[in-house]
Amino acid sequence: MTTAQTEGLIGMLTVLGILFVLVLPSVIGIARDRRIDREIREAEQGRPKNAGPQAQPRRRYFTTTVTHHS
């Protein structure tokens, strides 16, 4: 490999690296938006996130703390 080819390869890898760094946040944002949209659709339809044949309703427990003041 000649010096010109090596410099060309380094330049090309640098440009591809910069492109990757610039595109990555957009791809992550798109994936996050799609996940949120899917969760909103499921909530509007009234079915649980992981609805399967054995899906049970979610139970909520409320706790209270009682303190005695003298």
Side-chain angles (χ1 to χ4, degrees):
M1 206 176 225
T2 66
T3 304
Q5 289 174 331
T6 304
E7 288 177 1
L9 180 63
I10 291 171
M12 184 174 59
L13 291 176
T14 302
V15 169
L16 289 175
I18 292 170
L19 179 67
F20 177 76
V21 168
L22 290 175
V23 170
L24 183 64
S26 297
V27 172
I28 292 171
I30 290 169
R32 181 176 178 266
D33 287 345
R34 289 177 59 102
R35 178 184 53 86
I36 291 170
D37 289 343
R38 185 180 63 244
E39 289 177 0
I40 290 172
R41 264 195 317 273
E42 289 175 354
E44 286 175 346
Q45 293 174 357
R47 76 176 175 217
K49 188 175 184 180
N50 296 325
Q54 299 144 353
Q56 296 180 1
R58 185 175 177 182
R59 295 184 182 157
R60 297 183 183 208
Y61 298 97
F62 296 99
T63 60
T64 59
T65 303
V66 178
T67 58
H68 177 66
H69 297 283
S70 306

